[in-house]
Amino acid sequence: DAGITQSPRHKVTETGTPVTLRCHQTENHRYMYWYRQDPGHGLRLIHYSYGVKDTDKGEVSDGYSVSRSKTEDFLLTLESATSSQTSVYFCAISAPGQGLGYTFGSGTRLTVV
Amino acid sequence: SQKIEQNSEALNIQEGKTATLTCNYTNYSPAYLQWYRQDPGRGPVFLLLIRENEKEKRKERLKVTFDTTLKQSLFHITASQPADSATYLCALDPSGSEGQAGTALIFGKGTTLSVSS
């Protein structure tokens, strides 16, 4: 999607390994978010960031950490991947107050075996 | 408990008819609601935002209403087409702000619309 890219698009990893997903934006938006989407649960917030080095937990943050060392990049790390973390992960950006909603990336499909 | 619910998981209609999707919420006082469209294998795409002081908003064939008394938003697609087939998500900011408070949207589980020709 324009202005936001996620990498990798697909990944298969083994249980117990660390995994890092990357979100990169070119819009210079202050706010960035990581969601996971699972059948029957919809989109659930993992972590979000409201500025460089400013992050906060979401609804399903256990087992995940994030880092934002510069405006354009927001990294999501699964510290020790488990099968329950098999999911589709979406990054989003926003500029609140402008009535423009969130812009989502294309997603990363992660499979933990 | 706080909830945001989209009443139907799936909605099937014929081409040319009006599709009406419902979003209900409890124990929130959102300043606005948003609607998104999601196609299979893609990220959600923002469609419309409606504020609490706006009863109705339109964009081409789309119309959204927001009733803060009923705690409900309705999303209408008029003259529906097979290309409108997708999953539609509603979302709100639980903080009741315009987003500046540093909170994030919560989403309903979505309604999958299928328009047959």
Side-chain angles (χ1 to χ4, degrees):
Chain A
D1 289 315
I4 179 171
T5 54
Q6 291 184 234
S7 59
R9 289 297 312 278
H10 302 273
K11 186 170 182 67
V12 179
T13 192
E14 292 187 349
T15 298
T17 60
V19 177
T20 296
L21 309 182
R22 182 183 184 232
C23 179
H24 178 78
Q25 62 146 329
T26 57
E27 304 296 321
N28 201 36
H29 284 343
R30 177 182 173 191
Y31 292 87
M32 299 185 76
Y33 313 85
W34 278 107
Y35 287 85
R36 60 179 288 177
Q37 188 172 41
D38 304 286
H41 290 280
L43 281 164
R44 292 180 293 172
L45 180 69
I46 306 171
H47 282 278
Y48 64 99
S49 170
Y50 45 96
V52 173
K53 299 192 188 305
D54 292 323
T55 65
D56 207 347
K57 297 179 179 180
E59 176 189 359
V60 290
S61 60
D62 286 348
Y64 302 94
S65 62
V66 290
S67 66
R68 191 167 178 201
S69 58
K70 47 187 178 178
T71 299
E72 56 266 37
D73 289 326
F74 193 30
L75 304 180
L76 176 70
T77 297
L78 288 66
E79 294 142 7
S80 177
T82 67
S83 59
S84 64
Q85 294 176 312
T86 293
S87 186
V88 180
Y89 291 85
F90 288 102
C91 177
I93 60 176
S94 75
Q98 297 183 13
L100 300 176
Y102 284 13
T103 300
F104 281 84
S106 299
T108 294
R109 181 172 294 277
L110 177 68
T111 303
V112 183
V113 298
Chain B
S1 64
Q2 297 174 317
K3 287 192 291 187
I4 177 170
E5 292 183 331
Q6 295 185 244
N7 288 12
S8 302
E9 283 191 17
L11 180 63
N12 301 304
I13 64 167
Q14 282 195 316
E15 184 175 9
K17 302 293 186 183
T18 296
T20 298
L21 285 63
T22 304
C23 178
N24 294 292
Y25 58 92
T26 57
N27 296 327
Y28 293 119
S29 297
Y32 59 87
L33 267 162
Q34 299 185 15
W35 284 88
Y36 291 77
R37 169 182 173 141
Q38 186 174 23
D39 292 287
R42 307 289 297 272
V45 174
F46 171 71
L47 296 175
L48 282 166
L49 179 152
I50 183 165
R51 292 188 166 83
E52 59 181 338
N53 60 351
E54 298 174 316
K55 297 302 181 187
E56 179 180 300
K57 200 155 191 180
R58 294 175 184 261
K59 178 182 176 183
E60 297 173 355
R61 294 184 295 109
L62 308 181
K63 184 179 84 171
V64 174
T65 63
F66 190 9
D67 189 324
T68 56
T69 301
L70 292 178
K71 294 186 180 292
Q72 181 180 82
S73 177
L74 299 179
F75 178 83
H76 307 272
I77 305 175
T78 58
S80 58
Q81 305 166 0
D84 295 325
S85 298
T87 297
Y88 293 87
L89 310 172
C90 68
L92 59 82
D93 183 334
S95 74
S97 74
E98 286 270 345
Q100 292 90 342
T103 55
L105 293 178
I106 60 168
F107 286 81
K109 295 179 183 178
T111 296
T112 299
L113 173 67
S114 297
V115 181
S116 55
S117 56

